[in-house]
Amino acid sequence: MDREFLIALIAGVFQGIFEWLPISSEGNVAVVLSVLGSSPETVVAFALFLHLGTALSATVYYRHDLWDLLTLLPVWRADTRFDGEQAVLTFLAIGTLVSGAVGITTYVLLIDLFSRLTGGVLVTLIGAFLVLTGGFQYVSHADPGGRRTTPDGIDAVLVGVAQGSAILPGVSRSGVTTGTLLLRGHDGTQSFRLSFLLSIPASVGGGLLAYSDSGLDISILAAAVALGAAAVVGYATIGTLLRIVDELPFWGVCIGLGMLAILSGLMIV
């Protein structure tokens, strides 16, 4: 198998698994690509691009939730925007706009910065972000949550900012968004649902942004292989992995992977 297709397949499989774990799929895929010899600017763009595949997985998995929300559009009213399921619709709209603004700004700055880094420095930086993400998860999971049943405007803005900042490889999107919702008083089940529903438009937008950027230097066929692997593996694993995440303290895994990445990056440097 051609090396480009092999790397695309490996990256897609890792994305399909890591996306549902609060350990930064983008960061860990970027580390894998760096080890395989990809340049820093290509690593960042490719890791972000792969979210298109798992966005498809999440869309299929949450298809009933998404359909129910779409049926609310004709009856949505401003005066009841945070009542019942309309609150979820409003949350997704505001959160998407905020995360898009933060994410695009961060991406523009990110590509310029990472294009100047060596592979070892990039891996070390990703490790540092993983450790910080693990620490945030530890703090957020210490709060029992479960006091609130519907999101409000403050939730939408805070989670939107958290999701937008997760474009940084090493910052777990699901970790920081669910953690923010837990700290805001939502229970684990509701936090994961809102987090992954919000991830779909952001993942599509981020993936398209990466594909249109010059940093993504792969053929159309290799891109199709990567997205296909991410989508298939993602859909096959999402249910099982979300149940595992709900039961295990992944903040420790995130910190452990971060420390390993830091040590690996220092060795590469």
Side-chain angles (χ1 to χ4, degrees):
M1 182 183 292
D2 184 87
R3 185 175 185 275
E4 182 184 41
F5 287 96
L6 181 60
I7 291 176
L9 179 62
I10 292 172
V13 170
F14 274 107
Q15 171 65 22
I17 296 173
F18 289 155
E19 174 64 13
W20 320 124
L21 303 176
I23 56 173
S24 179
S25 62
E26 187 182 341
N28 282 285
V29 169
V31 169
V32 171
L33 293 172
S34 294
V35 171
L36 292 175
S38 299
S39 64
E41 60 269 27
T42 299
V43 161
V44 174
F46 194 16
L48 182 60
F49 168 70
L50 288 171
H51 283 78
L52 276 173
T54 42
L56 177 60
S57 303
T59 300
V60 176
Y61 186 79
Y62 286 107
R63 61 190 180 279
H64 299 301
D65 295 75
L66 291 170
W67 176 253
D68 290 341
L69 289 171
L70 286 174
T71 61
L72 291 176
L73 282 174
V75 297
W76 184 91
R77 297 291 182 273
D79 57 340
T80 58
R81 61 190 180 278
F82 288 112
D83 294 342
E85 280 296 282
Q86 287 199 24
V88 176
L89 193 61
T90 307
F91 168 85
L92 295 177
I94 297 175
T96 297
L97 291 173
V98 173
S99 64
V102 174
I104 291 173
T105 302
T106 305
Y107 181 79
V108 171
L109 298 175
L110 179 74
I111 290 299
D112 180 59
L113 171 64
F114 280 12
S115 63
R116 306 174 188 177
L117 302 180
T118 63
V121 173
L122 175 60
V123 172
T124 302
L125 186 60
I126 291 172
F129 281 133
L130 279 167
V131 171
L132 291 173
T133 300
F136 177 74
Q137 289 181 57
Y138 175 77
V139 172
S140 64
H141 282 73
D143 188 300
R147 298 180 297 276
R148 301 175 56 215
T149 57
T150 57
D152 59 19
I154 296 176
D155 293 332
V157 172
L158 292 177
V159 175
V161 171
Q163 179 165 270
S165 66
I167 201 169
L168 293 165
V171 177
S172 167
R173 190 210 61 79
S174 62
V176 295
T177 53
T178 56
T180 299
L181 287 165
L182 287 171
L183 288 174
R184 290 283 297 162
H186 298 274
D187 65 25
T189 301
Q190 171 80 336
S191 297
F192 277 114
R193 175 177 178 252
L194 292 174
S195 171
F196 282 104
L197 287 174
L198 186 63
S199 76
I200 295 172
S203 295
V204 171
L208 292 175
L209 176 63
Y211 188 76
S212 65
D213 188 83
S214 59
L216 186 61
D217 185 23
I218 59 172
S219 67
I220 295 178
L221 288 178
V225 168
L227 291 185
V232 171
V233 173
Y235 185 73
T237 59
I238 182 172
T240 300
L241 292 178
L242 286 182
R243 286 191 293 272
I244 291 174
V245 169
D246 198 35
E247 297 174 0
L248 297 179
F250 266 84
W251 62 267
V253 177
C254 200
I255 290 176
L257 288 172
M259 295 300 296
L260 183 61
I262 291 173
L263 292 174
S264 300
L266 293 175
M267 290 177 65
I268 295 173
V269 174

